[in-house]
Amino acid sequence: MTQWRLLRGDVVVGELREYGCDQPFFLAHFTPGPGWESVRTSFEAWAALTGSDPDGTRTAAVVKPLQELELELELRLAAADGQQLPLQVFRNCVLRINGSEARLRY
């Protein structure tokens, strides 16, 4: 299964280890890293968002701070050509972390 490191600059925020799929999301176990506390409340606000949001304002209010963190997901396993192309969270992919569980769509 695929593994990713969640980074903020050079600081490891956490690691994700894929265990399944619920299309269109990859399901992963999340293990916090040294940088987790600096972003934890933003992810908790995103995880707490439930219910209808017809005009998207509630979603935008919690996603914008996450976009501004400029987080990247880096594959732990190199691609076939040796390159590792990071995914910019909330630009190239959507990441939701709730406790030790994560859902990733890219």
Side-chain angles (χ1 to χ4, degrees):
M1 293 284 172
T2 307
Q3 298 177 42
W4 297 272
R5 286 190 323 165
L6 181 60
L7 302 168
R8 185 173 186 198
D10 292 333
V11 177
V12 176
V13 173
E15 296 187 355
L16 290 84
R17 185 174 301 232
E18 178 190 357
Y19 69 84
C21 188
D22 181 14
Q23 284 292 347
F25 291 94
F26 292 96
L27 306 176
H29 296 293
F30 176 73
T31 304
W36 175 243
E37 284 304 311
S38 68
V39 302
R40 181 181 53 81
T41 56
S42 295
F43 275 101
E44 287 174 347
W46 174 226
L49 185 66
T50 60
S52 178
D53 186 15
D55 65 359
T57 55
R58 292 177 43 232
T59 301
V62 297
V63 168
K64 185 160 178 53
L66 285 165
Q67 286 176 321
E68 292 170 353
L69 292 172
E70 297 185 6
L71 300 170
E72 292 185 341
L73 276 173
E74 173 186 85
L75 274 173
R76 294 291 304 270
L77 305 173
D81 62 3
Q83 290 184 320
Q84 291 190 13
L85 301 175
L87 294 171
Q88 293 188 352
V89 178
F90 294 104
R91 285 184 177 41
N92 305 116
C93 65
V94 174
L95 176 62
R96 198 166 194 146
I97 299 172
N98 189 0
S100 63
E101 296 296 314
R103 297 171 66 85
L104 171 66
R105 178 180 181 176
Y106 63 94

